[in-house]
Amino acid sequence: MSGVELVLAFLAGVFGTAGYFFITWAYRLLDISALQPLAFLGIVWASLFDLAIFGRTADAWTFAGAAIVVAASTAIVRREAK
């Protein structure tokens, strides 16, 4: 590994760790029903990065599966919030 690659790997580790730290902190401060919709933005970002970097997007089955996961999780969170 070159020096630049080591720095980039180190920064990826630092920012990844900080991201998980802040997610854990947010879960301590707020109810899961308020934060869960933000977690699903990961699906959107992954699709956008796939399109931007690789020039293609997921197929219809992937989006159908994501819709099922979002719908089921939203229903569970709403039911548990009551």
Side-chain angles (χ1 to χ4, degrees), residues 13-25:
V14 168
F15 287 121
T17 302
Y20 279 113
F21 172 77
F22 287 125
I23 288 171
T24 304
W25 191 11

Side-chain angles (χ1 to χ4, degrees), residues 15-62:
F15 287 121
T17 302
Y20 279 113
F21 172 77
F22 287 125
I23 288 171
T24 304
W25 191 11
Y27 283 137
R28 268 190 272 150
L29 296 176
L30 292 174
D31 186 46
I32 185 73
S33 61
L35 292 172
Q36 191 60 34
L38 296 176
F40 294 130
L41 284 176
I43 298 170
V44 175
W45 284 113
S47 296
L48 290 174
F49 281 131
D50 186 31
L51 184 62
I53 294 172
F54 299 112
R56 60 191 187 102
T57 187
D59 61 357
W61 289 109
T62 303

